[in-house]
Coordinates of all heavy atoms in Angstrom, one line a residue:
M1 N 0.8 -1.1 0.0 CA 0.0 0.0 0.0 C 0.9 1.2 -0.1 O 1.8 1.3 0.7 CB -1.0 0.0 1.3 CG -1.7 1.2 1.3 SD -2.9 1.0 2.8 CE -4.2 2.1 2.1
P2 N 0.6 2.2 -0.8 CA 1.3 3.4 -0.9 C 1.4 4.4 0.2 O 2.1 5.3 0.3 CB 1.0 4.1 -2.2 CG -0.5 3.6 -2.4 CD -0.5 2.2 -1.8
F3 N 0.5 4.1 1.3 CA 0.4 5.1 2.4 C 0.9 4.4 3.7 O 0.5 3.2 3.8 CB -1.0 5.6 2.5 CG -1.4 6.5 1.5 CD1 -2.4 6.1 0.4 CD2 -1.0 7.9 1.5 CE1 -2.6 7.0 -0.5 CE2 -1.4 8.7 0.6 CZ -2.3 8.3 -0.4
R4 N 1.7 5.1 4.4 CA 2.1 4.5 5.6 C 1.7 5.5 6.8 O 1.6 6.7 6.5 CB 3.7 4.6 5.5 CG 4.3 3.8 6.7 CD 5.7 3.5 6.6 NE 6.6 4.6 5.9 CZ 7.7 4.5 5.5 NH1 8.3 3.3 5.3 NH2 8.3 5.4 4.8
Y5 N 1.2 5.0 7.9 CA 0.7 5.7 9.0 C 1.6 5.7 10.3 O 1.0 6.1 11.4 CB -0.8 5.1 9.3 CG -1.6 5.3 8.1 CD1 -1.8 4.3 7.2 CD2 -2.5 6.4 8.0 CE1 -2.7 4.3 6.2 CE2 -3.2 6.5 7.1 CZ -3.4 5.5 6.0 OH -4.2 5.7 5.1
D6 N 2.9 5.6 10.1 CA 3.7 5.8 11.2 C 3.6 7.1 11.9 O 3.8 7.2 13.1 CB 5.2 5.4 10.8 CG 5.5 4.1 10.2 OD1 4.7 3.2 10.6 OD2 6.4 4.0 9.4
K7 N 3.3 8.1 11.2 CA 3.2 9.5 11.7 C 2.0 9.5 12.7 O 2.1 10.2 13.8 CB 3.0 10.5 10.6 CG 4.3 10.8 9.8 CD 3.8 11.9 8.8 CE 5.0 12.4 8.1 NZ 4.7 13.5 7.2
L8 N 0.9 8.9 12.4 CA -0.2 8.8 13.2 C 0.0 8.2 14.5 O -0.3 8.8 15.6 CB -1.4 8.1 12.5 CG -2.6 7.5 13.6 CD1 -3.3 8.8 14.0 CD2 -3.5 6.7 12.7
F9 N 0.8 7.0 14.5 CA 0.9 6.3 15.7 C 1.9 7.1 16.6 O 1.8 7.2 17.8 CB 1.3 4.9 15.5 CG 0.2 4.1 14.9 CD1 0.1 3.8 13.6 CD2 -0.9 3.8 15.7 CE1 -0.9 3.2 13.0 CE2 -2.0 3.2 15.1 CZ -2.1 2.9 13.8
A10 N 2.9 7.8 16.0 CA 3.9 8.6 16.7 C 3.2 9.8 17.3 O 3.3 10.2 18.7 CB 5.0 9.1 15.8
L11 N 2.1 10.5 16.6 CA 1.4 11.6 17.2 C 0.6 11.1 18.4 O 0.4 11.9 19.3 CB 0.6 12.2 16.0 CG 0.0 13.5 16.2 CD1 0.9 14.6 16.7 CD2 -0.8 13.9 14.9
L12 N -0.1 10.0 18.2 CA -0.9 9.4 19.2 C -0.2 9.2 20.5 O -0.7 9.6 21.6 CB -1.6 8.2 18.9 CG -2.8 8.2 17.8 CD1 -3.1 6.8 17.4 CD2 -4.0 8.9 18.4
K13 N 1.0 8.6 20.4 CA 1.8 8.4 21.5 C 2.3 9.7 22.2 O 2.4 9.8 23.4 CB 3.1 7.7 21.1 CG 4.1 7.2 22.2 CD 5.3 6.3 21.8 CE 6.1 5.9 22.9 NZ 7.1 5.0 22.6
E14 N 2.8 10.7 21.2 CA 3.2 11.9 21.7 C 2.2 12.7 22.6 O 2.4 13.4 23.6 CB 3.6 12.8 20.6 CG 3.9 14.1 20.8 CD 4.2 15.0 19.6 OE1 4.8 14.6 18.7 OE2 3.7 16.1 19.3
R15 N 0.9 12.5 22.3 CA -0.2 13.2 22.8 C -0.9 12.3 24.0 O -2.0 12.8 24.5 CB -1.2 13.5 21.9 CG -0.8 14.5 20.6 CD -1.6 15.8 20.5 NE -0.9 16.5 19.5 CZ -1.5 17.0 18.4 NH1 -2.8 16.9 18.3 NH2 -0.8 17.8 17.5
G16 N -0.4 11.2 24.2 CA -0.9 10.3 25.2 C -2.2 9.8 24.9 O -3.0 9.5 25.9
I17 N -2.6 9.4 23.8 CA -3.9 9.0 23.3 C -3.6 7.5 22.9 O -2.9 7.3 21.9 CB -4.6 9.7 22.2 CG1 -4.6 11.2 22.6 CG2 -5.9 9.2 21.7 CD1 -5.2 12.1 21.4
S18 N -4.4 6.6 23.6 CA -4.3 5.2 23.3 C -5.1 4.7 22.0 O -6.2 5.4 21.9 CB -4.4 4.3 24.5 OG -5.8 4.3 24.9
T19 N -4.7 3.6 21.5 CA -5.7 3.1 20.5 C -6.9 2.5 21.1 O -8.0 2.5 20.6 CB -5.0 2.1 19.5 OG1 -4.4 1.1 20.3 CG2 -3.8 2.7 18.7
Y20 N -6.8 2.1 22.3 CA -8.0 1.6 23.1 C -8.9 2.8 23.3 O -10.1 2.5 23.0 CB -7.6 1.1 24.5 CG -8.7 0.7 25.3 CD1 -9.3 -0.4 25.2 CD2 -9.0 1.5 26.3 CE1 -10.4 -0.8 26.0 CE2 -10.2 1.3 27.3 CZ -10.8 0.1 27.0 OH -11.8 -0.3 27.7
K21 N -8.5 4.0 23.6 CA -9.3 5.1 23.8 C -10.1 5.4 22.6 O -11.3 5.6 22.5 CB -8.6 6.4 24.3 CG -9.5 7.6 24.5 CD -8.8 8.7 24.9 CE -9.6 9.9 24.9 NZ -8.9 11.2 25.3
I22 N -9.4 5.3 21.4 CA -9.9 5.6 20.1 C -11.1 4.6 19.8 O -12.2 5.0 19.3 CB -8.9 5.7 19.1 CG1 -8.0 6.9 19.2 CG2 -9.5 5.7 17.6 CD1 -6.9 6.8 18.3
R23 N -10.7 3.3 20.1 CA -11.9 2.2 19.8 C -13.0 2.4 20.8 O -14.2 2.3 20.4 CB -11.2 1.0 20.0 CG -10.2 0.6 18.8 CD -9.8 -0.8 19.0 NE -9.5 -1.5 20.1 CZ -8.4 -1.4 20.9 NH1 -7.4 -0.9 20.2 NH2 -8.2 -1.9 22.0
K24 N -12.7 2.7 22.1 CA -13.7 2.7 23.1 C -14.7 3.7 22.8 O -16.0 3.8 23.0 CB -13.1 3.0 24.5 CG -14.1 3.0 25.6 CD -13.4 3.1 27.0 CE -14.4 3.3 28.0 NZ -13.8 3.7 29.3
E25 N -14.2 5.0 22.3 CA -15.2 6.2 22.0 C -15.6 5.9 20.6 O -16.3 7.0 20.2 CB -14.2 7.5 22.2 CG -13.8 7.8 23.6 CD -13.1 8.9 23.9 OE1 -12.9 9.8 22.9 OE2 -12.5 9.2 24.9
N26 N -15.5 5.0 20.0 CA -16.0 4.7 18.6 C -15.5 5.7 17.6 O -16.4 6.1 16.7 CB -17.6 4.5 18.7 CG -18.0 3.4 19.3 OD1 -17.5 2.2 19.4 ND2 -18.9 3.6 20.2
L27 N -14.3 6.2 17.7 CA -13.8 7.2 16.8 C -13.6 6.6 15.4 O -14.0 7.1 14.3 CB -12.8 8.0 17.3 CG -13.0 8.8 18.6 CD1 -11.7 9.4 19.0 CD2 -13.8 10.0 18.1
I28 N -12.9 5.3 15.4 CA -12.6 4.6 14.3 C -12.7 3.1 14.7 O -12.6 2.8 16.0 CB -11.3 4.9 13.6 CG1 -10.1 4.7 14.4 CG2 -11.3 6.3 13.1 CD1 -8.8 4.8 13.7
S29 N -12.9 2.2 13.9 CA -13.1 0.8 14.2 C -11.6 0.1 14.3 O -10.6 0.6 13.9 CB -13.8 0.2 13.0 OG -12.9 0.0 11.8
Q30 N -11.9 -1.0 15.0 CA -10.6 -2.0 15.2 C -10.0 -2.2 13.9 O -8.8 -2.4 13.7 CB -10.9 -3.1 16.1 CG -9.8 -4.1 16.2 CD -8.6 -3.5 16.9 OE1 -8.8 -2.9 17.9 NE2 -7.4 -3.7 16.4
A31 N -10.9 -2.6 12.9 CA -10.5 -3.0 11.5 C -9.7 -1.8 10.8 O -8.7 -2.1 10.4 CB -11.7 -3.3 10.7
A32 N -10.2 -0.6 11.0 CA -9.3 0.4 10.4 C -8.0 0.7 11.0 O -7.0 0.9 10.5 CB -10.1 1.8 10.5
L33 N -7.9 0.6 12.4 CA -6.7 0.7 13.1 C -5.8 -0.4 12.6 O -4.6 -0.3 12.5 CB -6.9 0.7 14.7 CG -7.3 1.9 15.3 CD1 -7.7 1.6 16.7 CD2 -6.1 2.9 15.3
T34 N -6.2 -1.6 12.6 CA -5.4 -2.9 12.1 C -4.9 -2.6 10.8 O -3.6 -2.8 10.4 CB -6.3 -4.1 12.3 OG1 -6.6 -4.3 13.5 CG2 -5.4 -5.2 11.7
K35 N -5.9 -2.1 9.9 CA -5.3 -1.8 8.5 C -4.2 -0.7 8.5 O -3.2 -0.9 7.7 CB -6.4 -1.3 7.6 CG -7.5 -2.2 7.1 CD -8.7 -1.6 6.4 CE -9.7 -2.5 6.1 NZ -10.8 -1.7 5.3
M36 N -4.3 0.3 9.3 CA -3.4 1.4 9.4 C -2.1 0.8 9.9 O -0.9 1.2 9.3 CB -3.9 2.6 10.2 CG -5.0 3.3 9.6 SD -5.8 4.4 10.7 CE -5.7 5.7 9.8
K37 N -2.0 0.0 10.9 CA -0.9 -0.5 11.5 C -0.1 -1.4 10.6 O 1.1 -1.5 10.5 CB -1.2 -1.2 12.8 CG -1.3 -0.4 14.0 CD -1.6 -1.3 15.2 CE -1.6 -0.2 16.3 NZ -1.7 -1.0 17.7
N38 N -0.9 -2.3 9.8 CA -0.4 -3.2 8.9 C -0.2 -2.6 7.4 O 0.5 -3.3 6.7 CB -1.2 -4.4 8.8 CG -1.4 -5.2 10.1 OD1 -0.4 -5.1 11.0 ND2 -2.4 -5.7 10.3
G39 N -0.6 -1.3 7.2 CA -0.3 -0.7 6.0 C -1.0 -1.5 4.9 O -0.7 -1.6 3.7
E40 N -2.4 -2.1 5.2 CA -3.1 -2.8 4.2 C -4.3 -2.2 4.0 O -5.0 -1.5 4.9 CB -3.3 -4.2 4.8 CG -2.1 -5.0 5.1 CD -2.4 -6.3 6.0 OE1 -3.5 -6.5 6.4 OE2 -1.5 -7.0 6.0
G41 N -5.0 -2.4 2.9 CA -6.4 -1.9 2.5 C -6.5 -0.4 2.5 O -5.5 0.4 2.5
N42 N -7.7 0.1 2.2 CA -8.0 1.4 2.1 C -8.7 2.0 3.3 O -9.4 1.4 3.9 CB -9.1 1.8 0.8 CG -8.3 1.1 -0.5 OD1 -7.3 1.6 -0.7 ND2 -9.1 0.5 -1.2
I43 N -8.3 3.2 3.6 CA -8.7 3.9 4.7 C -9.8 4.9 4.3 O -9.5 5.7 3.3 CB -7.8 4.5 5.7 CG1 -6.6 3.6 6.0 CG2 -8.3 5.3 6.8 CD1 -7.2 2.5 6.9
D44 N -10.9 5.0 4.8 CA -12.1 5.9 4.4 C -11.7 7.4 4.8 O -11.1 7.6 5.9 CB -13.4 5.4 5.2 CG -14.5 6.2 4.7 OD1 -14.6 7.5 5.0 OD2 -15.3 5.6 4.0
T45 N -12.1 8.3 4.1 CA -11.7 9.7 4.3 C -12.5 10.2 5.6 O -12.0 11.1 6.3 CB -12.0 10.7 3.2 OG1 -13.4 10.5 2.8 CG2 -11.1 10.3 2.1
R46 N -13.6 9.5 6.0 CA -14.3 9.9 7.2 C -13.5 9.5 8.4 O -13.4 10.3 9.3 CB -15.6 9.4 7.1 CG -16.7 10.0 6.2 CD -17.9 9.3 6.1 NE -17.7 8.0 5.5 CZ -18.6 7.1 5.1 NH1 -19.8 7.2 5.4 NH2 -18.3 5.9 4.6
T47 N -12.6 8.4 8.3 CA -11.8 7.9 9.3 C -10.7 9.0 9.5 O -10.4 9.4 10.6 CB -11.3 6.6 9.0 OG1 -12.3 5.6 8.8 CG2 -10.2 6.1 10.1
L48 N -10.2 9.4 8.4 CA -9.2 10.4 8.5 C -9.7 11.8 9.0 O -8.9 12.4 9.9 CB -8.5 10.8 7.1 CG -7.6 9.5 6.6 CD1 -7.3 9.8 5.1 CD2 -6.4 9.1 7.4
E49 N -10.8 12.1 8.7 CA -11.4 13.3 9.3 C -11.6 13.3 10.7 O -11.3 14.2 11.4 CB -12.8 13.5 8.5 CG -13.5 14.7 9.0 CD -14.9 14.8 8.4 OE1 -15.2 14.1 7.4 OE2 -15.7 15.7 8.9
R50 N -12.1 12.1 11.1 CA -12.3 12.1 12.7 C -10.9 12.2 13.4 O -10.8 12.8 14.4 CB -12.9 10.6 13.0 CG -14.4 10.7 12.7 CD -15.0 9.3 13.1 NE -16.0 9.0 12.2 CZ -16.2 8.0 11.3 NH1 -15.2 7.2 11.3 NH2 -17.3 7.8 10.6
L51 N -10.0 11.5 12.9 CA -8.6 11.6 13.5 C -8.0 13.0 13.4 O -7.4 13.3 14.5 CB -7.7 10.6 12.8 CG -7.9 9.1 13.0 CD1 -7.2 8.3 12.1 CD2 -7.5 8.7 14.5
C52 N -8.1 13.7 12.3 CA -7.6 15.0 12.3 C -8.4 15.9 13.2 O -7.7 16.7 13.9 CB -7.9 15.6 10.8 SG -6.7 14.8 9.5
E53 N -9.8 15.7 13.4 CA -10.5 16.5 14.4 C -10.0 16.1 15.8 O -9.7 17.1 16.6 CB -12.0 16.1 14.3 CG -12.8 17.0 15.1 CD -14.3 16.7 14.9 OE1 -14.7 16.3 13.7 OE2 -15.1 17.0 15.9
L54 N -9.8 14.9 16.1 CA -9.3 14.5 17.4 C -7.9 15.1 17.7 O -7.6 15.7 18.8 CB -9.1 13.0 17.5 CG -8.5 12.4 18.8 CD1 -9.4 12.6 20.0 CD2 -8.3 11.0 18.6
L55 N -7.1 15.0 16.7 CA -5.7 15.5 16.9 C -5.4 16.9 16.6 O -4.3 17.4 16.6 CB -4.7 14.5 16.3 CG -4.8 12.9 16.7 CD1 -4.1 12.1 15.9 CD2 -4.2 12.9 18.1
H56 N -6.4 17.5 16.0 CA -6.2 19.0 15.6 C -5.0 19.1 14.6 O -4.1 19.8 14.9 CB -6.1 20.0 16.7 CG -7.2 19.8 17.6 ND1 -8.3 20.3 17.4 CD2 -7.2 19.3 18.9 CE1 -9.1 20.0 18.5 NE2 -8.5 19.4 19.5
C57 N -5.1 18.2 13.6 CA -4.0 18.2 12.5 C -4.5 18.1 11.2 O -5.8 18.1 10.9 CB -3.0 17.1 12.9 SG -3.8 15.4 12.7
Q58 N -3.6 18.0 10.1 CA -3.9 17.8 8.8 C -3.6 16.4 8.4 O -2.8 15.8 9.0 CB -3.1 18.9 7.9 CG -3.5 20.3 8.2 CD -4.9 20.5 7.8 OE1 -5.2 20.2 6.7 NE2 -5.6 21.3 8.6
P59 N -4.3 16.0 7.3 CA -4.1 14.4 6.9 C -2.5 14.0 6.8 O -2.0 13.1 7.1 CB -4.8 14.3 5.6 CG -5.8 15.3 5.6 CD -5.2 16.5 6.5
G60 N -1.8 15.1 6.2 CA -0.3 14.9 6.0 C 0.5 14.8 7.4 O 1.5 14.2 7.5
D61 N -0.2 15.1 8.4 CA 0.4 14.9 9.7 C 0.2 13.4 10.2 O 0.8 13.0 11.2 CB -0.2 15.8 10.8 CG 0.0 17.4 10.6 OD1 1.2 17.6 10.0 OD2 -0.7 18.1 10.8
L62 N -0.6 12.8 9.6 CA -1.0 11.3 10.0 C -0.4 10.3 9.1 O -0.2 9.1 9.5 CB -2.5 11.2 9.9 CG -3.4 12.0 10.7 CD1 -4.9 11.8 10.5 CD2 -3.1 12.0 12.1
M63 N -0.2 10.6 7.8 CA 0.3 9.5 6.8 C 1.2 10.3 5.9 O 1.4 11.4 5.8 CB -1.0 9.0 6.2 CG -1.7 10.1 5.4 SD -3.1 9.4 4.6 CE -3.8 10.7 3.6
E64 N 1.9 9.3 5.1 CA 2.7 9.8 4.1 C 2.7 8.9 3.0 O 2.3 7.6 3.1 CB 4.3 10.0 4.6 CG 4.9 8.5 4.9 CD 6.4 8.8 5.3 OE1 7.0 9.6 4.8 OE2 6.9 8.0 6.2
Y65 N 2.9 9.3 1.8 CA 2.9 8.6 0.5 C 4.3 7.9 0.3 O 5.2 8.6 0.4 CB 2.5 9.4 -0.7 CG 2.7 8.6 -2.0 CD1 1.6 7.8 -2.4 CD2 3.7 8.9 -2.8 CE1 1.8 7.0 -3.5 CE2 3.9 8.2 -4.0 CZ 2.9 7.3 -4.4 OH 3.0 6.7 -5.6
V66 N 4.2 6.6 0.0 CA 5.5 5.9 -0.2 C 5.2 5.3 -1.6 O 4.6 4.4 -1.7 CB 5.7 4.9 0.9 CG1 7.1 4.1 0.6 CG2 5.8 5.5 2.4
K67 N 6.2 5.7 -2.5 CA 6.2 5.1 -3.9 C 6.4 3.6 -3.7 O 7.2 3.1 -3.0 CB 7.2 5.7 -4.7 CG 7.3 5.3 -6.1 CD 8.2 5.9 -6.9 CE 8.4 5.6 -8.3 NZ 9.4 6.1 -9.1
E68 N 5.5 2.7 -4.6 CA 5.7 1.3 -4.6 C 7.3 0.9 -4.8 O 7.8 1.5 -5.6 CB 4.8 0.7 -5.6 CG 3.3 0.9 -5.3 CD 2.8 0.0 -4.2 OE1 3.4 -1.1 -3.9 OE2 1.8 0.3 -3.5
G69 N 7.6 0.0 -4.0 CA 9.0 -0.4 -4.2 C 10.1 0.4 -3.3 O 11.1 0.0 -3.1
D70 N 9.6 1.5 -2.8 CA 10.4 2.5 -1.8 C 10.1 2.3 -0.4 O 10.5 3.0 0.4 CB 10.4 3.9 -2.3 CG 10.9 4.2 -3.6 OD1 11.7 3.3 -4.0 OD2 10.7 5.3 -4.1
E71 N 9.2 1.3 -0.2 CA 8.8 1.1 1.2 C 9.9 0.7 2.2 O 10.5 -0.3 1.9 CB 7.6 0.1 1.4 CG 6.3 0.7 0.7 CD 5.2 -0.3 0.7 OE1 5.2 -1.3 1.6 OE2 4.3 -0.2 -0.1
V72 N 10.1 1.4 3.2 CA 11.3 1.1 4.2 C 10.6 1.2 5.5 O 9.9 2.2 5.8 CB 12.4 2.1 4.1 CG1 13.4 1.7 5.2 CG2 12.9 2.1 2.6
N73 N 10.8 0.3 6.6 CA 10.4 0.3 7.8 C 11.2 1.0 8.8 O 11.3 0.4 9.9 CB 9.8 -1.0 8.2 CG 8.8 -1.6 7.3 OD1 7.8 -0.8 6.9 ND2 8.7 -2.9 7.0
D74 N 11.9 2.1 8.4 CA 12.9 2.6 9.4 C 12.5 4.0 10.0 O 13.3 4.7 10.3 CB 14.3 2.5 8.8 CG 14.3 3.5 7.5 OD1 13.2 4.0 7.1 OD2 15.4 3.7 7.1
I75 N 11.2 4.3 10.0 CA 10.8 5.7 10.7 C 10.8 5.6 12.1 O 10.5 4.7 12.7 CB 9.5 6.0 9.9 CG1 9.7 6.5 8.6 CG2 9.0 7.2 10.9 CD1 8.5 7.0 7.9

């Protein structure tokens, strides 16, 4: 998948927001979180909107585009 969400998980950690809290408050589903962690599947723009609202940020603060074949897990 050409999008990587390492920025999202770093931002959540920085702000002290757990993925449990996000799921408990029904902000996004467990399936969406799993997809983001594993870099699989498509993420709905409504999911990104909810995260941006929660974190007071822009989509580029949550994810980055990675050209196919250039994926590196060293962020």
Side-chain angles (χ1 to χ4, degrees):
M1 177 173 206
F3 290 101
R4 191 165 44 192
Y5 295 91
D6 296 336
K7 290 179 170 185
L8 165 64
F9 294 103
L11 191 56
L12 289 172
K13 184 175 181 178
E14 176 185 309
R15 304 231 177 132
I17 301 171
S18 69
T19 56
Y20 173 77
K21 178 181 177 177
I22 290 172
R23 291 188 321 269
K24 183 179 177 189
E25 294 180 8
N26 294 318
L27 296 172
I28 64 173
S29 69
Q30 175 63 43
L33 277 172
T34 300
K35 286 180 189 179
M36 294 169 119
K37 280 187 176 183
N38 296 332
E40 301 171 346
N42 296 316
I43 303 301
D44 190 284
T45 55
R46 289 173 292 191
T47 298
L48 294 173
E49 180 182 349
R50 286 186 209 112
L51 288 168
C52 287
E53 185 175 332
L54 171 71
L55 298 167
H56 306 287
C57 66
Q58 295 295 314
D61 298 326
L62 305 177
M63 63 185 181
E64 69 178 324
Y65 172 77
V66 179
K67 185 177 175 183
E68 293 289 332
D70 289 346
E71 295 180 17
V72 178
N73 294 323
D74 63 351
I75 287 185

